[in-house]
Every structure is written in structure tokens, then in C-alpha cells.
Amino acid sequence: MFNHTTVLLKEAAEGLDIKPDGIYVDCTLGGAGHSEYIVKKLSDEGRLIAFDQDDIAIENAKGKLAPYLNRVTLIKSNFRYLKEKLEEHGITEVDGVLFDLGVSSPQLDTPERGFSFHHDAPLDMRMDTNSSLSAYHIVNEWPYEKLVKIFFQYGEEKFSKQIARKIESYREQKAIETTLELVDIIKDGIPAAARRTGGHPAKRVFQAIRIAVNDELQVFEDAVEQAMDVIRVGGRVSVITFHSLEDRICKVAFKNASTGPQLPHGLPVIPEEFQPKMKVITRKPIVPSEEEVVDNKRARSAKLRIIEKLK
């Protein structure tokens, strides 16, 4: 996820307020950009734990982080098991947790993974290649109603019904096997005028299918709560999101954690037990500069939010 956005890369990691002897978690190893940035700031007493469910990401990171591997623990796992995996390594508290959500640049840039609507490849989209559910199964086996639901909820696609009908009709004749086959079907379900605005016509449906394949929203909702639990006092959680659904989950989770219960007006002192446990560091999300978006179009929708534990 190094290639997503270099400015937010730095700000997300720096937002953790890294201590040389601290313990930090990169929940989204990806291209190891964040992990490399963090581990360089650690002493030999510090420790980085990095999660990824992608075998290729783990293997690549071993090379990229080779000079620092005495400070690094690589865990092949979905970050929804954050607390469980940390406990297996004898860790109950950490100083910071970082998330850089969505699909990593190495995954997007590997056509055979099936994440991109620009390359012809088998329908896959699995972040964990050992997972049984793939884009092929969703596109060819899920009923019309379920396709409409994910296209609308996860992709915010206003032509969800028309696209789902086109998929349903096409697969009655033959299986939909490749990304570009699916792109053509999606285009056929969108009016010509609408196809000419708002970016690539397949991007919302591809996003929706990818989220469904990897259960991304529920996974993040579970994991961000675990992250706020596992950080020690003064520790921080830093989150980069790339679409409104992820950002909404993050914003609500941070707001709930940083807001105490409703109390009667006029209390001279708020009792300690009713004071919030967390403080939001970023009142508004940090976004990339115009210059960065020009250099890296993938960065245009990125938002960074940071929260700190008070007690």
C-alpha cells in the first residue's frame, strides 16, 4: 500500500508518534511501505508486527525488510484476528496500530489477481488466495437480488438492477470467466450518457464484488474496535480509507469511542468513569494535496483519521 499515497504514508505512520522501543502493528502490510517507514524508526528494543493474508506480500516483505527482520514479526492472517494473533505472540498491549485499507498497489498491478478492470484476467479478487469464495463464484452463482444488494450497498451503483439483470441473462448462456467479459456486461447495463461521466463505468461494481469477496467492511468494523482496545494509554490508531463506506465506519467508531455518555447539564465536574477513553487527533480527515493526486490518481479519495487512547 506504499504506492497508494506517499504523503499519507508518512503522515499515517508519523501520526502514531513512534517511540524507538515501542510495539507497533501494521495491519495492512501490502507493499511494506508503512512497515519499512515504521521499522526504520525503531531501535532493536522496538517491535513491528505486520499482518497480511496475501502470501506474495509476505514473501516480498521479507526481502524489503531484510535489514530489520530482527525487529519484525510477519503474520499471515486477516487482521480481523488482530487480538487473537497478538495474544498468540504474547502481546496484550501495543503503542500503535495502522490500517491502510482497500486493495494494495501490488495486487492491482498484478493482472492475474483479477482486481483490475483494465486488464483481462480470471475473475478472482481474493486477497487470501486460499479463500474458497472468489469473484467468479459471486458473479456466476449469486442470485439477482443478492447482486443488486452488494452493487448498491458496497458500490453505490445507481444502475445496480440493470447490471444485475445483464449478468443474470449472460450467465444463462455461459459462465462469465474474465474481468473484461464482466466489464462489457457492466457497460451494457449502464446508459450510454452515464458511461461518459464519473470515471470508468465498471469501477463501482468491481469495488462491490471485491468488498463482498473479502468481507472487507465487516472485517474492518471488527478490527478497528480491537485496535482501540489493544493500544495502551497514549497509543494511537491511524487509518487511511479509500471510499466513503470505510470512512463512515471509521468516523462512527472513532466518534463513539471519543464521546462519553450523555450527562445532565450543569455538572461542575464530569466523574472520571464518565470521561471518554479516546481522543480524536484529526478533527477533519487529512487528505492528499492536489500535487499528489496529479502524481498518483489512486490517492485522490484517500482520507486519514487518527485517534489516541486517554485512559
Side-chain angles (χ1 to χ4, degrees):
M1 305 190 173
F2 174 78
N3 293 325
H4 272 155
T5 164
T6 52
V7 172
L8 292 194
L9 161 73
K10 183 178 179 181
E11 293 189 354
E14 285 189 344
L16 296 178
D17 193 20
I18 299 168
K19 303 173 182 64
D21 61 348
I23 301 174
Y24 296 89
V25 180
D26 182 354
C27 282
T28 45
L29 174 63
H34 289 297
S35 285
E36 183 180 42
Y37 191 92
I38 293 168
V39 77
K40 282 182 176 179
K41 292 182 174 292
L42 299 179
S43 68
D44 286 342
E45 285 70 47
R47 192 171 178 189
L48 171 70
I49 299 95
F51 283 73
D52 208 295
Q53 55 190 335
D54 190 327
D55 289 305
I56 296 173
I58 295 284
E59 288 305 311
N60 289 343
K62 289 177 182 177
K64 188 165 188 173
L65 304 178
Y68 317 100
L69 283 180
N70 62 315
R71 308 172 193 168
V72 178
T73 301
L74 300 174
I75 298 177
K76 185 187 181 303
S77 172
N78 190 305
F79 57 66
R80 77 186 317 162
Y81 306 111
L82 175 62
K83 290 181 74 173
E84 176 187 326
K85 293 298 179 181
L86 290 178
E87 287 171 5
E88 287 178 6
H89 287 77
I91 298 170
T92 55
E93 283 189 323
V94 301
D95 295 283
V97 180
L98 185 146
F99 295 89
D100 184 0
L101 300 176
V103 62
S104 71
S105 290
Q107 289 171 331
L108 276 174
D109 295 334
T110 306
E112 59 267 27
R113 300 296 298 273
F115 286 103
S116 175
F117 40 74
H118 293 299
H119 305 287
D120 200 20
L123 279 172
D124 194 331
M125 303 194 197
R126 292 173 298 170
M127 293 180 180
D128 179 356
T129 54
N130 296 314
S131 173
S132 58
L133 181 64
S134 71
Y136 178 91
H137 293 100
I138 288 177
V139 170
N140 287 288
E141 298 173 11
W142 279 20
Y144 162 81
E145 292 79 11
K146 203 168 180 181
L147 292 178
V148 171
K149 183 177 180 180
I150 66 166
F151 295 166
F152 185 75
Q153 289 188 350
Y154 298 164
E156 300 176 295
E157 174 55 72
K158 61 183 178 180
F159 298 107
S160 298
K161 291 181 179 179
Q162 295 94 315
I163 294 167
R165 284 293 183 209
K166 293 292 183 181
I167 289 173
E168 187 179 48
S169 175
Y170 189 97
R171 70 191 187 187
E172 287 177 357
Q173 310 303 318
K174 68 178 290 292
I176 303 166
E177 298 184 359
T178 70
T179 51
L180 293 191
E181 272 187 280
L182 180 59
V183 167
D184 287 341
I185 296 166
I186 293 167
K187 287 179 177 178
D188 199 30
I190 299 175
R195 292 201 302 268
R196 290 192 285 269
T197 61
H200 196 287
K203 68 178 183 179
R204 291 175 294 274
V205 169
F206 268 61
Q207 172 183 293
I209 295 170
R210 192 201 76 224
I211 289 172
V213 167
N214 299 288
D215 196 20
E216 291 177 33
L217 299 183
Q218 188 59 56
V219 165
F220 174 55
E221 191 168 348
D222 294 344
V224 73
E225 296 292 343
Q226 294 178 54
M228 290 189 290
D229 281 345
V230 81
I231 54 171
R232 64 179 94 249
V233 173
R236 292 182 172 185
V237 179
S238 185
V239 181
I240 299 177
T241 61
F242 284 87
H243 61 73
S244 60
L245 301 175
E246 295 169 337
D247 185 58
R248 194 176 303 137
I249 291 170
C250 184
K251 182 179 179 180
V252 169
F254 281 10
K255 181 179 179 182
N256 290 342
S258 61
T259 305
Q262 287 190 335
L263 297 173
H265 292 294
L267 283 181
V269 178
I270 298 176
E272 174 68 22
E273 63 268 25
F274 293 124
Q275 292 179 4
K277 295 181 180 180
M278 311 288 289
K279 176 179 72 174
V280 174
I281 302 300
T282 48
R283 292 186 62 190
K284 291 185 177 181
I286 299 169
V287 298
S289 66
E290 291 182 11
E291 293 79 9
E292 185 171 7
V293 172
V294 170
D295 291 339
N296 180 7
K297 291 183 179 179
R298 291 178 188 170
R300 65 184 177 273
S301 58
K303 292 181 179 179
L304 168 64
R305 296 182 186 271
I306 303 169
I307 197 167
E308 180 179 309
K309 180 168 279 189
L310 299 176
K311 63 175 184 175

